[in-house]
Amino acid sequence: MIRKNPSFRISLVAAAVAVACAAPAAMAAGAAPLQTREAPRAAPAADAAARLIVTYRDGGLSNALKLKTVNAAATRSRAMTAAAARSGTKAPSASYMRKLAVGADLVRLDRRIGARELDALVAELAADPAVAAVEVDRMMRHTGAASLRGGMVTPQLTPDDQYYAQYQWHLQNTAGGIHAPAAWDVSTGEGVVVAVLDTGIIDHPDMDANMLPGYDFITDTFVSRRPTNERVPGAHDFGDWNDDPNQCDVTTSSFHGTHVAGTVAELSNNTSGMAGVAHNAKVLPVRVLGRCGGYTSDIADAIVWAAGGSVPGVPANANPAEIINMSLGGGGSCKSVSQTAINTAVALGTTVVVAAGNSNGDVANFSPASCDGVISVGAARITGGRASYSNYGAKVDLAGPGGGGGVDGNPNGYVWQASNNSDTSPELGAATYMGMAGTSMAAPHVAGVAALVQSAVVAGGGVPKTPAELEAILVDSARAFPATPDRAIGSGLLDAPAALAKALEVPCDPAVEECAPAAIELTNKVVVGNVSGTAGSQTLYSIEVPAGAKRLNVMTYGGTGNVGMYVSAGDAPSAQSYDYKSARPGNNEAVRVNKPASGTYYILLVGEAAYSGVSIEARID
């Protein structure tokens, strides 16, 4: 993690910051000495004892039989691993930890083992007839990376918060901002609960009134800094600093969860501090990250609990969240236990928003951002361009303000919200305001706008949007990028007033007016990925072609199954009536129109067989 720390005297002093994956920046609430600080990005923890998540085919097996299965696999795998066999030590022994909300069991090995031996153990266990699935309980970490600290009306609602105008470009009508003032005339998020699964929160006068009682799901004393492995009420952030390089990289505390929660619902119009996106919503803080990160198993249970589901050993959640924000992740494609937890939350009606990650790589290789059923959020700069660290790819749904770090200077390179100025425990510091950059910062902007939408819909007498409906509203209403990004980061830039307008628009009544076909609007040269459908399904898209265009290219590619593509100008096509067609076996379809007339072109995707993971793109030259 890279952090910067200028204090606030009369104005915030700019400081250069090198952005690795994402950048935090901070400003203190009082006068403090100026300082700049950088620290390396935290590495995954070296687990004191490996943990495995095992799903058994017979959920009624006794714990003793479950452990017998694991220990037998450990013995077999050790004999097959030459280095382990030569060491002369016994195979690791497993102990039972608990049942997860998703039905899997968590077991702990009594000591660390090498990567090859661990891989062999997982393979042996997966091959056991009693086992349906197994995965290592990996550590995930937050997706923030650099910080800057410092001490420190009209028809469109302009907050009177002290630092809003100068620092919070990300909420304003900048090229990369969410254009919040016009949205606040319609909704401020009242009545909506947003769960923030992160490092927990600290006491902060600009946030406390919007924080609900949360829960601490961390089950490892080293990670949590609490005296026991028990889960406990409250979500206090004890600090995630680490001074032991044998565990993970040495870092100062990030207070990441406080910053993320502030983006969602920091108090506004209170003449002090800064503003939040949905400043009349409530945040349910859920602590899942601590020193060196957090376990997948704890995060999965927290997802289910936050959505109102049942978790063994944890009291029922009195404030189920309509929206969950997870500005966290790890390497590898979506984990089975994470997907099952997300599926449970979505089935309960909760929308799950996830940061795409900060490795400048394809999001398909990161979890939980690559899971199905989530809104995966990339990061944009103040210019509206892709932040260099942001993950990308077909699974990214849209981009939110993440900040470009030092390349855009201070304050414009960072997203600004509440924090603490301590390097370690928050009790040793004081309330502050910090600028950070990363997809961690982009995601809670999306979660906040989702809260604005749900609040407005209910206030208007409507029924809350389903997760799929809410995702479609946010994605389809996104503002076009000022220029085509160098990598695909979704349908466009998060636009708060446009999302509200789309959610509240009155459906066209064909009895009194001529209605355009209901279609998903494509943006020129922006890929829409992860498209799926059943055999015989039909999905209609549209693209506006300006006068003077030389050609229109529409293509689909990737994924599995078989789609057909039918294109018409002005009217929706069908498989029997169309202007252009491409229906080859598989998903690689292409239609090219030279010198197209200006107007609306409609593209119909038909499932010749069930298909998934398909990308569609329209290019106008």
Side-chain angles (χ1 to χ4, degrees):
M1 182 171 76
I2 301 173
R3 306 182 55 179
K4 289 209 158 212
N5 203 356
S7 295
F8 203 67
R9 297 192 181 198
I10 298 175
S11 62
L12 195 66
V13 177
V17 80
V19 176
C21 294
M27 135 178 35
L34 292 174
Q35 54 180 314
T36 300
R37 192 169 51 222
E38 295 189 6
R41 173 182 164 190
D47 302 338
R51 293 156 50 137
L52 300 175
I53 301 169
V54 187
T55 303
Y56 294 89
R57 297 188 188 280
D58 181 0
L61 285 178
S62 68
N63 292 346
L65 286 176
K66 291 173 181 177
L67 290 177
K68 184 177 180 181
T69 300
V70 177
N71 288 329
T75 299
R76 293 194 304 272
S77 63
R78 190 166 184 78
M80 296 167 58
T81 308
R86 287 196 302 270
S87 70
T89 58
K90 294 190 304 181
S93 177
S95 59
Y96 188 83
M97 294 188 67
R98 67 177 183 276
K99 172 77 73 176
L100 303 188
V102 296
D105 293 276
L106 185 64
V107 300
R108 181 197 298 270
L109 303 182
D110 60 359
R111 66 176 186 277
R112 291 181 59 193
I113 57 178
R116 289 186 179 180
E117 187 177 0
L118 182 60
D119 289 345
L121 169 55
V122 170
E124 276 296 308
L125 197 51
D128 192 295
V131 174
V134 59
E135 61 185 78
V136 178
D137 192 10
R138 303 284 187 191
M139 293 286 278
M140 294 188 181
R141 62 182 301 274
H142 63 70
T143 52
S147 67
L148 296 170
R149 282 188 189 151
M152 319 221 308
V153 158
T154 61
Q156 288 194 345
L157 176 60
T158 300
D160 60 14
D161 302 80
Q162 184 179 3
Y163 302 129
Y164 168 80
Q166 185 174 357
Y167 294 98
Q168 293 192 285
W169 61 267
H170 41 98
L171 303 181
Q172 300 172 32
N173 296 346
T174 56
I178 68 169
H179 297 193
W184 289 332
D185 286 344
V186 179
S187 174
T188 55
E190 186 173 2
V192 178
V193 175
V194 180
V196 172
L197 276 57
D198 214 293
T199 63
I201 60 165
I202 58 169
D203 293 336
H204 197 292
D206 208 16
M207 293 181 57
D208 293 345
N210 277 347
M211 300 297 112
L212 294 169
Y215 220 84
D216 190 330
F217 270 77
I218 301 174
T219 56
D220 184 298
T221 56
F222 174 83
V223 176
S224 71
R225 285 196 161 88
R226 290 186 286 100
T228 73
N229 291 329
E230 300 301 316
R231 290 167 169 167
V232 297
H236 180 65
D237 185 350
F238 290 88
D240 58 355
W241 84 94
N242 178 55
D243 52 11
D244 183 355
N246 294 316
Q247 297 295 334
C248 61
D249 284 354
V250 173
T251 65
T252 54
S253 284
S254 66
F255 304 110
H256 188 268
T258 297
H259 191 283
V260 169
T263 297
V264 175
E266 192 156 319
L267 297 178
S268 301
N269 288 314
N270 59 351
T271 71
S272 68
M274 298 184 176
V277 175
H279 42 260
N280 281 333
K282 298 297 183 184
V283 168
L284 177 69
V286 186
R287 189 173 183 234
V288 295
L289 303 178
R291 179 163 41 178
C292 298
Y295 284 102
T296 299
S297 58
D298 289 339
I299 295 167
D301 276 354
I303 292 169
V304 174
W305 183 84
S310 177
V311 177
V314 180
N317 177 9
N319 299 289
E322 288 95 329
I323 300 147
I324 290 173
N325 185 90
M326 290 193 290
S327 292
L328 53 81
S333 58
C334 181
K335 305 298 185 289
S336 174
V337 68
S338 300
Q339 186 64 71
T340 303
I342 289 165
N343 291 348
T344 302
V346 170
L348 290 169
T350 301
T351 299
V352 181
V353 179
V354 181
N358 307 320
S359 298
N360 188 28
D362 193 325
V363 74
N365 299 318
F366 296 85
S367 181
S370 63
C371 293
D372 294 334
V374 306
I375 302 176
S376 186
V377 185
R381 299 165 52 195
I382 188 173
T383 62
R386 181 178 78 93
S388 61
Y389 54 78
S390 178
N391 284 351
Y392 51 80
K395 283 184 170 286
V396 178
D397 291 294
L398 77 165
V407 68
D408 291 320
N410 175 9
N412 289 343
Y414 303 92
V415 168
W416 292 84
Q417 297 295 355
S419 188
N420 185 283
N421 63 8
S422 173
D423 286 342
T424 54
S425 168
E427 286 70 32
L428 299 178
T432 190
Y433 296 92
M434 178 183 291
M436 302 179 78
T439 57
S440 275
M441 287 63 255
H445 284 87
V446 172
V449 172
L452 298 182
V453 168
Q454 292 290 52
S455 178
V457 168
V458 172
V463 177
K465 299 297 183 181
T466 67
E469 289 171 338
L470 191 50
E471 178 178 2
I473 288 168
L474 294 166
V475 171
D476 295 348
S477 65
R479 192 169 66 251
F481 295 106
T484 303
D486 61 328
R487 300 280 190 171
I489 51 171
S491 62
L493 296 165
L494 176 67
D495 191 302
L500 284 167
K502 189 166 190 65
L504 298 174
E505 66 185 4
V506 178
C508 177
D509 184 354
V512 297
E513 59 183 316
E514 184 178 351
C515 300
I520 300 170
E521 188 174 351
L522 298 175
T523 301
N524 184 28
K525 300 180 182 178
V526 174
V527 178
V528 175
N530 206 28
V531 177
S532 61
T534 59
S537 64
Q538 298 188 359
T539 305
L540 188 64
Y541 297 86
S542 67
I543 182 81
E544 293 296 323
V545 176
K550 295 180 179 179
R551 66 187 62 84
L552 166 67
N553 287 317
V554 186
M555 64 198 83
T556 61
Y557 51 87
T560 59
N562 186 14
V563 298
M565 182 167 66
Y566 304 85
V567 180
S568 287
D571 296 301
S574 68
Q576 293 75 41
S577 177
Y578 50 84
D579 295 338
Y580 309 93
K581 160 187 172 180
S582 179
R584 293 174 285 191
N587 296 327
N588 294 328
E589 309 294 350
V591 165
R592 179 170 180 170
V593 183
N594 290 318
K595 296 182 179 179
S598 62
T600 304
Y601 282 70
Y602 292 95
I603 304 104
L604 181 69
L605 288 192
V606 176
E608 308 294 349
Y611 64 94
S612 64
V614 175
S615 295
I616 180 170
E617 180 181 4
R619 302 181 68 89
I620 302 169
D621 298 312

